[in-house]
PDB file of all heavy atoms in Angstrom:
ATOM      1  N   ILE A 132     -54.794  -1.576  13.009  1.00 98.00           N
ATOM      2  CA  ILE A 132     -55.739  -2.629  12.662  1.00 98.00           C
ATOM      3  C   ILE A 132     -55.795  -3.672  13.769  1.00 98.00           C
ATOM      4  O   ILE A 132     -54.991  -3.654  14.704  1.00 98.00           O
ATOM      5  CB  ILE A 132     -55.362  -3.308  11.318  1.00 98.00           C
ATOM      6  CG1 ILE A 132     -53.946  -3.916  11.398  1.00 98.00           C
ATOM      7  CG2 ILE A 132     -55.473  -2.314  10.172  1.00 98.00           C
ATOM      8  CD1 ILE A 132     -53.563  -4.728  10.182  1.00 98.00           C
ATOM      9  N   GLY A 133     -56.759  -4.561  13.654  1.00 97.00           N
ATOM     10  CA  GLY A 133     -56.898  -5.658  14.596  1.00 97.00           C
ATOM     11  C   GLY A 133     -57.052  -6.976  13.860  1.00 97.00           C
ATOM     12  O   GLY A 133     -56.912  -7.052  12.633  1.00 97.00           O
ATOM     13  N   MET A 134     -57.372  -8.014  14.610  1.00 97.00           N
ATOM     14  CA  MET A 134     -57.578  -9.346  14.050  1.00 97.00           C
ATOM     15  C   MET A 134     -58.694 -10.029  14.816  1.00 97.00           C
ATOM     16  O   MET A 134     -58.750  -9.959  16.052  1.00 97.00           O
ATOM     17  CB  MET A 134     -56.298 -10.176  14.162  1.00 97.00           C
ATOM     18  CG  MET A 134     -56.405 -11.572  13.553  1.00 97.00           C
ATOM     19  SD  MET A 134     -55.091 -12.700  14.139  1.00 97.00           S
ATOM     20  CE  MET A 134     -55.647 -13.002  15.830  1.00 97.00           C
ATOM     21  N   GLY A 135     -59.606 -10.688  14.094  1.00 94.00           N
ATOM     22  CA  GLY A 135     -60.659 -11.446  14.735  1.00 94.00           C
ATOM     23  C   GLY A 135     -60.232 -12.877  15.013  1.00 94.00           C
ATOM     24  O   GLY A 135     -59.185 -13.351  14.538  1.00 94.00           O
ATOM     25  N   LEU A 136     -61.050 -13.580  15.770  1.00 94.00           N
ATOM     26  CA  LEU A 136     -60.714 -14.956  16.160  1.00 94.00           C
ATOM     27  C   LEU A 136     -60.881 -15.962  15.021  1.00 94.00           C
ATOM     28  O   LEU A 136     -60.599 -17.143  15.209  1.00 94.00           O
ATOM     29  CB  LEU A 136     -61.549 -15.370  17.368  1.00 94.00           C
ATOM     30  CG  LEU A 136     -61.169 -14.647  18.671  1.00 94.00           C
ATOM     31  CD1 LEU A 136     -62.130 -15.022  19.797  1.00 94.00           C
ATOM     32  CD2 LEU A 136     -59.739 -14.973  19.074  1.00 94.00           C
ATOM     33  N   ASP A 137     -61.329 -15.499  13.853  1.00 94.00           N
ATOM     34  CA  ASP A 137     -61.318 -16.338  12.656  1.00 94.00           C
ATOM     35  C   ASP A 137     -60.177 -15.957  11.720  1.00 94.00           C
ATOM     36  O   ASP A 137     -60.091 -16.441  10.601  1.00 94.00           O
ATOM     37  CB  ASP A 137     -62.655 -16.234  11.908  1.00 94.00           C
ATOM     38  CG  ASP A 137     -62.996 -14.799  11.510  1.00 94.00           C
ATOM     39  OD1 ASP A 137     -62.212 -13.884  11.846  1.00 94.00           O
ATOM     40  OD2 ASP A 137     -64.044 -14.591  10.880  1.00 94.00           O
ATOM     41  N   GLY A 138     -59.291 -15.063  12.186  1.00 96.00           N
ATOM     42  CA  GLY A 138     -58.152 -14.650  11.370  1.00 96.00           C
ATOM     43  C   GLY A 138     -58.448 -13.502  10.429  1.00 96.00           C
ATOM     44  O   GLY A 138     -57.589 -13.133   9.621  1.00 96.00           O
ATOM     45  N   HIS A 139     -59.649 -12.905  10.519  1.00 96.00           N
ATOM     46  CA  HIS A 139     -59.924 -11.785   9.621  1.00 96.00           C
ATOM     47  C   HIS A 139     -59.230 -10.526  10.111  1.00 96.00           C
ATOM     48  O   HIS A 139     -58.936 -10.377  11.298  1.00 96.00           O
ATOM     49  CB  HIS A 139     -61.436 -11.564   9.465  1.00 96.00           C
ATOM     50  CG  HIS A 139     -62.074 -10.753  10.550  1.00 96.00           C
ATOM     51  ND1 HIS A 139     -62.690 -11.322  11.652  1.00 96.00           N
ATOM     52  CD2 HIS A 139     -62.225  -9.413  10.699  1.00 96.00           C
ATOM     53  CE1 HIS A 139     -63.177 -10.371  12.421  1.00 96.00           C
ATOM     54  NE2 HIS A 139     -62.902  -9.201  11.875  1.00 96.00           N
ATOM     55  N   THR A 140     -58.977  -9.633   9.184  1.00 97.00           N
ATOM     56  CA  THR A 140     -58.473  -8.313   9.526  1.00 97.00           C
ATOM     57  C   THR A 140     -59.187  -7.312   8.652  1.00 97.00           C
ATOM     58  O   THR A 140     -59.570  -7.623   7.518  1.00 97.00           O
ATOM     59  CB  THR A 140     -56.946  -8.225   9.358  1.00 97.00           C
ATOM     60  OG1 THR A 140     -56.477  -6.989   9.917  1.00 97.00           O
ATOM     61  CG2 THR A 140     -56.526  -8.312   7.897  1.00 97.00           C
ATOM     62  N   ALA A 141     -59.378  -6.082   9.185  1.00 97.00           N
ATOM     63  CA  ALA A 141     -60.314  -5.148   8.561  1.00 97.00           C
ATOM     64  C   ALA A 141     -61.622  -5.923   8.356  1.00 97.00           C
ATOM     65  O   ALA A 141     -62.067  -6.603   9.279  1.00 97.00           O
ATOM     66  CB  ALA A 141     -59.735  -4.559   7.282  1.00 97.00           C
ATOM     67  N   SER A 142     -62.227  -5.857   7.179  1.00 96.00           N
ATOM     68  CA  SER A 142     -63.382  -6.726   6.907  1.00 96.00           C
ATOM     69  C   SER A 142     -63.059  -7.656   5.747  1.00 96.00           C
ATOM     70  O   SER A 142     -63.867  -7.908   4.846  1.00 96.00           O
ATOM     71  CB  SER A 142     -64.647  -5.917   6.631  1.00 96.00           C
ATOM     72  OG  SER A 142     -65.253  -5.497   7.847  1.00 96.00           O
ATOM     73  N   ILE A 143     -61.835  -8.183   5.790  1.00 97.00           N
ATOM     74  CA  ILE A 143     -61.412  -9.245   4.882  1.00 97.00           C
ATOM     75  C   ILE A 143     -61.496 -10.541   5.681  1.00 97.00           C
ATOM     76  O   ILE A 143     -60.675 -10.804   6.559  1.00 97.00           O
ATOM     77  CB  ILE A 143     -59.990  -9.012   4.350  1.00 97.00           C
ATOM     78  CG1 ILE A 143     -59.874  -7.603   3.750  1.00 97.00           C
ATOM     79  CG2 ILE A 143     -59.620 -10.079   3.324  1.00 97.00           C
ATOM     80  CD1 ILE A 143     -58.455  -7.203   3.398  1.00 97.00           C
ATOM     81  N   PHE A 144     -62.539 -11.321   5.385  1.00 96.00           N
ATOM     82  CA  PHE A 144     -62.843 -12.535   6.133  1.00 96.00           C
ATOM     83  C   PHE A 144     -62.418 -13.768   5.350  1.00 96.00           C
ATOM     84  O   PHE A 144     -62.182 -13.696   4.137  1.00 96.00           O
ATOM     85  CB  PHE A 144     -64.344 -12.602   6.427  1.00 96.00           C
ATOM     86  CG  PHE A 144     -64.809 -11.672   7.518  1.00 96.00           C
ATOM     87  CD1 PHE A 144     -64.955 -10.319   7.280  1.00 96.00           C
ATOM     88  CD2 PHE A 144     -65.086 -12.149   8.790  1.00 96.00           C
ATOM     89  CE1 PHE A 144     -65.386  -9.447   8.286  1.00 96.00           C
ATOM     90  CE2 PHE A 144     -65.516 -11.309   9.803  1.00 96.00           C
ATOM     91  CZ  PHE A 144     -65.668  -9.950   9.549  1.00 96.00           C
ATOM     92  N   PRO A 145     -62.353 -14.919   6.025  1.00 96.00           N
ATOM     93  CA  PRO A 145     -62.020 -16.142   5.294  1.00 96.00           C
ATOM     94  C   PRO A 145     -63.001 -16.485   4.184  1.00 96.00           C
ATOM     95  O   PRO A 145     -62.619 -17.087   3.180  1.00 96.00           O
ATOM     96  CB  PRO A 145     -62.029 -17.217   6.393  1.00 96.00           C
ATOM     97  CG  PRO A 145     -61.708 -16.469   7.638  1.00 96.00           C
ATOM     98  CD  PRO A 145     -62.382 -15.139   7.483  1.00 96.00           C
ATOM     99  N   ALA A 146     -64.294 -16.124   4.344  1.00 96.00           N
ATOM    100  CA  ALA A 146     -65.298 -16.460   3.333  1.00 96.00           C
ATOM    101  C   ALA A 146     -66.371 -15.396   3.309  1.00 96.00           C
ATOM    102  O   ALA A 146     -66.622 -14.719   4.315  1.00 96.00           O
ATOM    103  CB  ALA A 146     -65.924 -17.823   3.630  1.00 96.00           C
TER     104      ALA A 146
END
Side-chain angles (χ1 to χ4, degrees):
I132 59 174
M134 182 198 73
L136 290 175
D137 57 358
H139 83 265
T140 190
S142 279
I143 308 171
F144 285 76

